[in-house]
Amino acid sequence: MPTTRAMTQLPANENFFSTILCKGKEWVIEQYTNNLCALFPSFSQAEASKSFLHHIRQHALPADALQLATMPESATVFVKIQNVNYCVTWHWIDENTEYRSVTVYSINNESFQNAALHKEELDVLFESMHDGIWVIDGNGITQRVNKAMERIAGIKAEEVIGKHVSEAVEMGYTTTCVTLRALEAGHSVTMFDDYSNGVRCLNTSTPIFDANGEAWRAIACIRDISELKTLQTKLSKYELEAQVYRDKLKTLEKGQAEGILGNSPVMLQLSQDIQRAAHVDAPVLLLGETGTGKTLTAGTIHKQSGRGEGPFISINCGAIPSELLEAELFGYEAGAFSGASEKGKAGMFELADGGTLFLDEIAELPLLMQVKLLHVLDGDGYRKVGGTTQLKPNVRIIAATNKSFDKLLASGTFREDLYYRLRVLIVSIPPLRERAEDIPLLVQHFLTSANLKYNLRKALSPDLLSTLSQNSWPGNVRELRAAVDYLVAMCDQDLITPDYLPPHFLSANKNCGATIPSVTHINMKDEVENLERKLIKQALTEGRSTYKAAKLLGTSQSTIVRKAQRYKIGLIEVSHNLS
């Protein structure tokens, strides 16, 4: 029985193969093998056009003809002529005269479908990539760009395909041609690239070589680093928030009062004193220098006490004129004095009812007000200014001062009986110089807070942390926090070094000599690295490239690239050939 293949009439051109030599843009046929009339029925040596492209347009589908006319060297295009499938490819014989060799051969339907499916699969993969792809040939002519590239650069493929890649720069789409650099260098090259729509990308281009070792293609992979920066910013924020919660957890694990940072013996003692004071509903006297955190301590005692759900009212006795202090503390009735509100006003004692009243700078309280405050503490209550009703508040008093009560009592500026009434519980807050071992922890806490506040990711160099730890800090914790905020705000790089310390800080340390480290505290490796970082950063700024920076510093380009990456200095170009 004959096979199906034997019974089917085969197309006349099923095994067609021809090599055609053409010249010029229209591929004018000069020589060929086999009879082209079998390929193009209208072809005649005497009458018909000699243009290969003309016959393709006449006999093939318009889309196939257009693809063939624009296809690059060595590529393959599938065309259908009179229901026969053909593969067409070409190579230069002499590029200067546009003399090329065109090969045409037929393939069966199964091979054609497999080849078409393979090409379609590659096209889908190419267009589905999230990173941009830009392909040029060995002459710098753009062959393909994918949809991601159109999105990233804000271009249309038809605007650049078939044109020299440098025209993209001339048209203002991009600032550099990394693909050309890769062709010239003969190896992969990575550069930062800025596009006209404001997108900044990391562009890596790799050359592809033919059998003769000539650069045949260069393919660039372009990644939008603005997306990465957004993700990095979010990640940094979450890391900083996690650090804050870890610090709180450590505090709870150690049984310390919330908000009290430090592992020094004096801070552990302070934490115990706060917890004891919180559990007893009696007046508390806080003693400590300016900036040690008396307000924070008072707030912590209030939160941990049985009054924690009630109001916490704070007043600075030294910030209010003495003639207004009584009205502020006790309030006044309507029309009590000239200029008084018609509705009257509640005083601090009334506002703090059921909670805690914090009297900061209690030593500044005038003697007359000291007497009235003593009456309240003794349970006699108070009257509002202009009022007749005796009010007895349900308020706990916490007072604070940065002055010596021995001197105040000796000078008669503070009543001794009031002092004894206030000092039922005494909590002494140590100055920062007495707990220098806590400074690194405090610095990290303030740095985390500042980074979250300013949406940054700064870190302190070891030598800067050492300098901060050795300072006397007369302004205590308040001064330390202000210094960290200053460093974060003023430093223009991620790693903060001592160079960014404010002038008054350096001047103070120069005068006292307390925080300038001696030779025994200097780390030679750190000092050398700091000097290298400054020199490389300056050379890159002046030279605008790693090559020129290397010449300025009298070293190799690979050394500049390697060290710039190590010190996280922004690069103009990073070559992959670092040998």
Side-chain angles (χ1 to χ4, degrees), residues 299-562:
T300 302
I301 293 173
H302 166 74
K303 289 178 182 178
Q304 296 190 8
S305 72
R307 298 175 176 267
E309 298 298 324
F312 176 78
I313 303 299
S314 175
I315 182 172
N316 189 320
C317 299
I320 300 174
S322 58
E323 60 271 17
L324 299 178
L325 194 54
E326 182 177 2
E328 287 295 319
L329 282 174
F330 304 134
Y332 59 83
E333 298 290 354
F337 51 85
S338 177
S341 171
E342 295 180 357
K343 297 181 180 180
K345 181 182 177 182
M348 296 298 178
F349 273 95
E350 187 176 352
L351 295 174
D353 192 65
T356 302
L357 176 61
F358 175 51
L359 301 175
D360 197 9
E361 305 297 346
I362 188 69
E364 304 299 327
L365 203 64
L367 287 172
L368 178 60
M369 286 305 303
Q370 291 181 32
V371 174
K372 294 188 176 184
L373 177 59
L374 180 61
H375 288 168
V376 176
L377 292 174
D378 283 339
D380 296 332
Y382 67 92
R383 292 190 184 95
K384 288 186 176 183
V385 176
T388 57
T389 305
Q390 194 77 3
L391 302 174
K392 294 185 178 181
N394 176 22
V395 174
R396 182 188 192 179
I397 298 294
I398 299 179
T401 184
N402 60 354
K403 295 185 177 181
S404 168
F405 267 107
D406 291 338
K407 294 181 179 179
L408 292 172
L409 296 175
S411 63
T413 55
F414 200 88
R415 292 181 61 94
E416 191 171 354
D417 48 2
L418 178 59
Y419 168 67
Y420 293 135
R421 195 69 182 82
L422 288 172
R423 72 163 198 177
V424 175
L425 298 173
I426 294 181
V427 175
S428 295
I429 306 173
L432 193 54
R433 62 180 176 275
E434 293 182 5
R435 55 185 188 110
E437 60 266 46
D438 293 332
I439 290 179
L441 178 61
L442 290 168
V443 168
Q444 182 58 49
H445 176 75
F446 296 147
L447 180 64
T448 300
S449 299
N451 278 329
L452 283 173
K453 180 167 60 177
Y454 302 126
N455 199 23
L456 298 172
R457 193 183 185 184
K458 301 291 182 69
L460 270 63
S461 66
D463 49 346
L464 174 58
L465 187 58
S466 175
T467 301
L468 295 177
S469 298
Q470 296 177 59
N471 187 43
S472 60
W473 298 110
N476 292 294
V477 178
R478 183 185 291 121
E479 183 186 5
L480 176 61
R481 179 165 196 158
V484 174
D485 281 346
Y486 173 89
L487 291 169
V488 171
M490 297 302 294
C491 181
D492 57 359
Q493 60 185 23
D494 287 341
L495 184 65
I496 308 175
T497 63
D499 300 332
Y500 291 92
L501 284 168
H504 67 269
F505 185 94
L506 298 173
S507 175
N509 284 301
K510 183 177 180 181
N511 293 334
C512 69
T515 62
I516 302 300
S518 65
V519 175
T520 58
H521 293 97
I522 293 178
N523 186 302
M524 180 174 289
K525 180 181 177 182
D526 290 342
E527 296 297 321
V528 171
E529 287 180 351
N530 286 334
L531 179 59
E532 277 188 344
R533 183 184 294 106
K534 293 177 184 177
L535 292 174
I536 292 173
K537 185 176 181 180
Q538 183 177 354
L540 285 171
T541 301
E542 294 178 6
R544 304 296 297 170
S545 72
T546 54
Y547 173 77
K548 292 181 180 179
K551 290 190 68 177
L552 289 172
L553 296 178
T555 186
S556 65
Q557 185 180 17
S558 62
T559 298
I560 293 296
V561 171
R562 185 176 66 255

Side-chain angles (χ1 to χ4, degrees), residues 13-27:
N13 291 350
E14 187 187 44
N15 297 315
F16 181 84
F17 183 92
S18 180
T19 299
I20 306 145
L21 303 182
C22 305
K23 269 191 176 182
K25 297 184 182 300
E26 280 296 309
W27 300 20

Side-chain angles (χ1 to χ4, degrees), residues 200 224-234:
R200 188 163 214 226
D224 184 353
I225 61 175
S226 60
E227 296 178 355
L228 296 178
K229 284 187 175 180
T230 300
L231 292 174
Q232 185 182 45
T233 300
K234 290 182 179 179

Side-chain angles (χ1 to χ4, degrees), residues 283-305:
V284 180
L285 183 60
L286 303 181
L287 303 177
E289 298 178 4
T290 298
T292 51
K294 294 187 290 295
T295 302
L296 174 64
T297 302
T300 302
I301 293 173
H302 166 74
K303 289 178 182 178
Q304 296 190 8
S305 72

Side-chain angles (χ1 to χ4, degrees), residues 139-325:
N139 297 312
I141 304 300
T142 298
Q143 302 298 311
R144 291 194 69 174
V145 295
N146 66 351
K147 292 180 180 178
M149 189 71 250
E150 292 180 307
R151 168 180 54 82
I152 292 172
I155 63 172
K156 296 293 183 183
E158 57 266 24
E159 295 174 340
V160 293
I161 291 178
K163 298 179 181 178
H164 197 274
V165 66
S166 61
E167 292 189 30
V169 178
E170 296 172 3
M171 290 186 289
Y173 288 126
T174 182
T175 58
T176 187
C177 293
V178 68
T179 45
L180 287 183
R181 300 245 183 148
L183 287 178
E184 295 168 358
H187 55 71
S188 295
V189 171
T190 296
M191 298 177 63
F192 290 111
D193 205 355
D194 296 306
Y195 293 93
S196 58
N197 55 6
V199 174
R200 188 163 214 226
C201 295
L202 187 64
N203 190 333
T204 298
S205 184
T206 302
I208 303 172
F209 302 94
D210 59 20
N212 299 321
E214 298 294 329
W216 170 66
R217 291 285 187 276
I219 180 168
C221 181
I222 294 92
R223 170 155 295 183
D224 184 353
I225 61 175
S226 60
E227 296 178 355
L228 296 178
K229 284 187 175 180
T230 300
L231 292 174
Q232 185 182 45
T233 300
K234 290 182 179 179
L235 179 60
S236 299
K237 182 178 180 180
Y238 294 145
E239 288 177 346
L240 291 171
E241 289 177 347
Q243 181 62 46
V244 172
Y245 289 124
R246 282 195 293 269
D247 291 342
K248 290 184 177 180
L249 180 60
K250 289 179 181 178
T251 297
L252 294 174
E253 288 176 345
K254 294 177 181 178
Q256 287 181 274
E258 184 179 355
I260 303 301
L261 292 177
N263 299 315
S264 60
V266 291
M267 288 305 290
L268 294 176
Q269 181 62 50
L270 174 62
S271 181
Q272 294 176 7
D273 292 343
I274 288 175
Q275 292 180 37
R276 293 190 186 102
H279 295 150
V280 179
D281 197 29
V284 180
L285 183 60
L286 303 181
L287 303 177
E289 298 178 4
T290 298
T292 51
K294 294 187 290 295
T295 302
L296 174 64
T297 302
T300 302
I301 293 173
H302 166 74
K303 289 178 182 178
Q304 296 190 8
S305 72
R307 298 175 176 267
E309 298 298 324
F312 176 78
I313 303 299
S314 175
I315 182 172
N316 189 320
C317 299
I320 300 174
S322 58
E323 60 271 17
L324 299 178
L325 194 54

